[in-house]
Amino acid sequence: MNTRLTWICHGATAASRKALFPLDEPLDDRAAEEAGRMAALPRADRIITSPALRARQTAEALRLQGETDQALRDCDHGRWAGRPITAIGAEEPDDLLAWMSDPEAAPHGGESFFALRRRVAGWMDEQSLLAGHVIAISHAAVIRAAVAHVLQAPLSAFWLIDVEPLAVLRMTSNGQRWSLRL
């Protein structure tokens, strides 16, 4: 059974443009317009979005209707959500360093990168059992975790994967393993 997975990162928000840990904020106006101008996507058997407002609005701007799935939610940033990364670096430099260097650390009280990758890999494995083409609209952190999973890369590679707003990334599965498709 073959599965095609097309990841789409949600569009930019005020928080992403200001380097804030995200909350459930809407797309900014420019991002909605940019999404509306994207090339038509191929037909999909399933369209699934993160439950976050910015992901659902991206789907709407792309003229896609689908279901939401909690497994595609953004990384839980705990008490850091909504705060500037620079402020966390100034107030909690050791915690920020631990979070960025130890994949199992979650000093913010949220989700570690290890837990995020496990969640995303489990969702991908479920999709590979269903076969067909799925379009998933989610977050940069989720897509980074998916890439690290497919490449069997160490979680330290998480920070080396740059996923821009509205990026499109394709993967395939033959039911045995996932591959990155460029």
Side-chain angles (χ1 to χ4, degrees), residues 70-76 111 114-124 142:
Q70 286 293 323
L72 295 183
R73 70 189 181 281
D74 202 354
C75 183
D76 178 357
E111 188 173 27
F114 179 78
L116 173 66
R117 180 173 168 172
R118 185 176 53 227
R119 169 169 50 94
V120 172
W123 181 84
M124 291 173 65
V142 170

Side-chain angles (χ1 to χ4, degrees), residues 121-132:
W123 181 84
M124 291 173 65
D125 290 345
E126 290 172 7
Q127 296 305 309
S128 71
L129 296 174
L130 299 173

Side-chain angles (χ1 to χ4, degrees), residues 5-182:
L5 173 55
T6 301
W7 288 103
I8 302 173
C9 186
H10 67 74
T13 66
S16 64
R17 294 194 194 278
K18 294 177 184 175
L20 304 175
F21 284 98
L23 291 168
D24 193 18
E25 66 275 350
L27 291 179
D28 66 21
D29 292 337
R30 191 168 73 198
E33 292 170 11
E34 289 169 356
R37 289 192 305 268
M38 286 178 66
L41 295 163
R43 190 193 73 72
D45 299 299
R46 295 176 305 287
I47 299 168
I48 307 171
T49 71
S50 159
L53 178 60
R54 57 196 179 274
R56 291 182 286 119
Q57 286 179 328
T58 298
E60 184 178 309
L62 292 168
R63 295 170 294 288
L64 299 174
Q65 292 184 351
E67 60 187 68
T68 62
D69 190 324
Q70 286 293 323
L72 295 183
R73 70 189 181 281
D74 202 354
C75 183
D76 178 357
H77 294 104
R79 62 186 166 78
W80 293 351
R83 302 203 47 225
I85 295 169
T86 54
I88 302 301
E91 297 166 15
E92 302 180 49
D94 293 339
D95 287 345
L96 186 61
L97 179 62
W99 179 68
M100 294 180 74
S101 61
D102 178 358
E104 295 191 41
H108 45 57
E111 188 173 27
S112 70
F113 292 126
F114 179 78
L116 173 66
R117 180 173 168 172
R118 185 176 53 227
R119 169 169 50 94
V120 172
W123 181 84
M124 291 173 65
D125 290 345
E126 290 172 7
Q127 296 305 309
S128 71
L129 296 174
L130 299 173
H133 181 211
V134 61
I135 294 175
I137 302 166
S138 193
H139 310 274
V142 170
I143 297 169
R144 284 184 191 136
V147 171
H149 171 63
V150 168
L151 297 179
Q152 300 174 17
L155 280 170
S156 58
F158 184 87
W159 296 108
L160 303 175
I161 303 165
D162 189 16
V163 180
E164 295 182 343
L166 299 176
V168 177
L169 187 73
R170 292 172 178 84
M171 298 177 175
T172 57
S173 172
N174 63 4
Q176 301 291 316
R177 65 175 176 81
W178 283 94
S179 298
L180 190 58
R181 181 168 216 135
L182 300 174

